[in-house]
Amino acid sequence: WERVVLRDPPEWSGLDSEIKLLKRMYPQAEPGKEILLPDQAREWQRQYHEAHEAMTRAEARKTAAGNALREALGDAEVGYLDGEVIATYKTINAQRFDQKGFQEAHPGLFAEWKRPAPYRRLDVKKGA
């Protein structure tokens, strides 16, 4: 309670709920507004890019392992090793809305139901 009274929020932990909170608190940028960030922002910038690079490397390893499993499975749905299911690769028949096709076939209806969807994008510049 003391943090609330002193207006001293805790450190951000990276939870999705925190992102949702910040998006509700600051849904729109004020056009042209600029601020001077605290000195700690240089460290946040470094952490952001370090984490991004680690995630990129991890995603590449994950994709490579997935591709190896896809190749090993071939046209099989289920792959076993030592009596244990290791992976499945089943065909999923999903239905998707063809927005581009609908827009071409019914431009008036498409325009009538189109709505703006503003959002904010965080772009963290590379550090010096």
Side-chain angles (χ1 to χ4, degrees):
W1 177 252
E2 185 177 338
R3 283 182 171 265
V4 173
V5 172
L6 297 175
R7 296 182 159 270
D8 179 27
E11 294 285 321
W12 298 108
S13 63
L15 298 173
D16 286 341
S17 59
E18 294 173 342
I19 294 171
K20 290 176 184 174
L21 170 66
L22 288 164
K23 286 180 178 182
R24 278 198 314 269
M25 289 171 63
Y26 309 106
Q28 302 247 341
E30 188 175 317
K33 182 176 180 179
E34 298 180 1
I35 66 161
L36 182 62
L37 292 170
D39 291 338
Q40 192 177 7
R42 185 68 67 199
E43 176 61 16
W44 298 332
Q45 178 188 38
R46 186 196 64 72
Q47 290 173 4
Y48 181 92
H49 285 290
E50 184 180 278
H52 184 271
E53 290 167 10
M55 287 173 56
T56 299
R57 290 190 300 273
E59 281 294 327
R61 287 193 313 273
K62 177 183 170 187
T63 299
N67 287 343
L69 286 165
R70 285 180 189 88
E71 180 183 30
L73 284 161
D75 60 0
E77 282 193 333
V78 181
Y80 290 90
L81 183 62
D82 299 327
E84 176 187 355
V85 174
I86 298 296
T88 63
Y89 193 29
K90 298 182 179 185
T91 302
I92 308 297
N93 292 310
Q95 297 289 320
R96 307 262 188 235
F97 182 72
D98 182 1
Q99 181 176 321
K100 186 177 178 184
F102 183 81
Q103 182 177 7
E104 290 171 0
H106 307 284
L109 271 176
F110 182 81
E112 185 179 331
W113 285 92
K114 191 169 63 168
R115 62 178 172 81
Y119 66 95
R120 296 182 72 184
R121 177 179 56 219
L122 179 65
D123 182 15
V124 180
K125 308 300 182 190
K126 288 283 188 180

